[in-house]
Amino acid sequence: QVQLVESGGGLVQAGGSLRLSCAASGRTFRDYAMGWFRQAPGKEREFVASISWSGVGTYYADSVKGRFTISRDNAKNTVYLRMNSLKPEDTAVYYCAAKSTGSYASTDGFGSWGQGTQVTVSS
């Protein structure tokens, strides 16, 4: 399995921006499609965005489309989530995830997870 460590979370005002990073180690990063998920207090974990192993293909939840951008740098074994126009409802713990089989555009099949990073958006 690949090990994942997220960073970049914090407190930001509504309308602001943050960039999350997820560093991978342990296996060949290019073997994995990557995704970001989030879990707000009292809610189930939900899909945010995913990206193919090459970085060409991306897929977003409707709630973040046009505001968030997922990208990856295979040379640095890192995936990013750029979050613009943040809203209070974006407040959650954000998790990075990886999968080695299946389509990047499927929200199922992610078998490796990071510990999460807290994002808090104040109104």
Side-chain angles (χ1 to χ4, degrees), residues 2-3 6 13 23 32 34-36 56 60 62 64 67 70 73 90 95-97 99 106 110 116:
V2 63
Q3 287 76 50
E6 303 95 336
Q13 289 187 333
Y32 293 86
M34 300 298 296
W36 286 96
V56 172
Y60 296 93
D62 288 343
V64 307
R67 300 188 298 122
I70 188 171
D73 185 337
D90 294 318
Y95 297 91
C96 174
K99 64 176 178 180
S106 169
F110 286 90

Side-chain angles (χ1 to χ4, degrees), residues 36-117:
W36 286 96
F37 292 74
R38 66 187 182 187
Q39 187 167 20
K43 295 187 178 181
E44 293 187 354
R45 186 170 59 194
E46 65 174 358
F47 168 80
V48 175
S50 59
I51 189 167
S52 64
W53 69 268
S54 66
V56 172
T58 57
Y59 182 59
Y60 296 93
D62 288 343
S63 59
V64 307
K65 201 172 296 182
R67 300 188 298 122
F68 291 10
T69 303
I70 188 171
S71 61
R72 66 189 295 164
D73 185 337
N74 287 343
K76 295 182 178 180
N77 289 355
T78 302
V79 62
Y80 305 98
L81 184 68
R82 177 67 180 183
M83 305 184 294
N84 294 330
S85 303
L86 282 161
K87 305 175 182 180
E89 51 263 45
D90 294 318
T91 295
V93 176
Y94 282 71
Y95 297 91
C96 174
K99 64 176 178 180
S100 58
T101 60
S103 171
Y104 72 91
S106 169
T107 61
D108 297 328
F110 286 90
S112 298
W113 295 84
Q115 294 298 307
T117 185

